Amino acid sequence: MRKLKITELNRLSKDEFKQVDKIPLVVVLDNVRSLNNVGSVFRTSDAFLVEAIYLCGITATPPQPEIHKTALGAEDTVDWIYREETMDAVKELKDNDYTVFSIEQVENSTMLTELVLDTDKKYAVILGNEVKGVLQEVVSNSDGCIELPQYGTKHSLNVSVTAGIVIWDFFKQLKK
């Protein structure tokens, strides 16, 4: 086997990315404090054609060197919107017919392994602060909560790792 050169990967240009059909998914970052996590979510969102990212509360916005360090330019391809309050993003998304899921451990959550999406619907997923998770008010106003099954001793995954798993699962189900 031979590793492929970057020129052999046939990646989209920035302009082509802006024009290509995206999956009907918006990612909402609720008070995510690490700029590296924000950058990683941008990069994953670029890889799997996410519509947009909402950056809420204390979540940093581009341009920032620490975001760029992990986004590697995806902060320039993926559309993003800043909202001071995460609830404003939730309301806006619901008003635009998105089904909104918080990614959180709650009573009666749906395990990601059991989630079945409707390809005719639009979705938003909310990922929370590295310590406190998704705000309770946001959880309470979500259409549902998705939980990632975990089998070890830890109670959570890094937010960017969680985003990668969730975005990949949505991509597999929603890509037409």
Side-chain angles (χ1 to χ4, degrees):
M1 286 185 274
R2 177 183 64 82
K3 287 175 53 175
L4 296 175
K5 297 175 184 169
I6 289 177
T7 56
E8 296 175 289
L9 296 177
N10 299 317
R11 296 294 190 242
L12 300 174
S13 69
K14 286 182 185 180
D15 291 335
E16 290 169 331
F17 182 88
K18 292 290 187 182
Q19 299 302 317
V20 73
D21 288 337
K22 309 295 188 297
I23 62 170
L25 177 64
V26 170
V27 174
V28 179
L29 299 182
D30 175 22
N31 292 294
V32 172
R33 65 182 183 186
S34 165
L35 280 68
N36 290 319
N37 283 335
V38 174
S40 181
V41 171
F42 267 101
R43 192 163 160 189
T44 301
S45 295
D46 175 282
F48 298 114
L49 302 174
V50 168
E51 270 182 36
I53 300 173
Y54 277 69
L55 306 168
C56 302
I58 66 166
T59 306
T61 61
Q64 295 282 343
E66 288 297 311
I67 291 175
H68 181 73
K69 185 178 4 178
T70 49
L72 296 178
E75 72 276 28
D76 299 325
T77 57
V78 178
D79 290 338
W80 61 270
I81 300 158
Y82 176 77
R83 294 290 178 259
E84 191 171 326
E85 299 294 331
T86 307
M87 278 306 303
D88 292 341
V90 171
K91 181 177 179 352
E92 186 175 322
L93 289 161
K94 285 183 158 204
D95 287 348
N96 286 296
D97 299 320
Y98 284 82
T99 300
V100 177
F101 288 112
S102 287
I103 310 303
E104 192 57 86
Q105 298 164 330
V106 301
E107 299 169 338
N108 302 312
S109 61
T110 299
M111 288 296 169
L112 183 62
T113 52
E114 298 169 6
L115 182 68
V116 178
L117 301 174
D118 181 342
T119 57
D120 293 325
K121 289 187 175 181
K122 301 184 295 186
Y123 296 94
V125 292
I126 304 169
L127 295 127
N129 177 273
E130 292 88 343
V131 175
K132 297 178 181 179
V134 178
L135 294 169
Q136 180 61 57
E137 178 185 20
V138 173
V139 167
S140 297
N141 284 280
S142 295
D143 296 306
C145 287
I146 300 169
E147 184 175 342
L148 276 66
Q150 297 173 59
Y151 304 101
T153 62
K154 299 300 161 201
H155 299 288
S156 66
L157 295 169
N158 176 280
V159 67
S160 66
V161 171
T162 298
I165 293 167
V166 170
I167 292 168
W168 169 244
D169 194 78
F170 273 71
F171 177 83
K172 286 190 309 182
Q173 291 194 50
L174 296 174
K175 180 68 176 144
K176 293 181 180 183

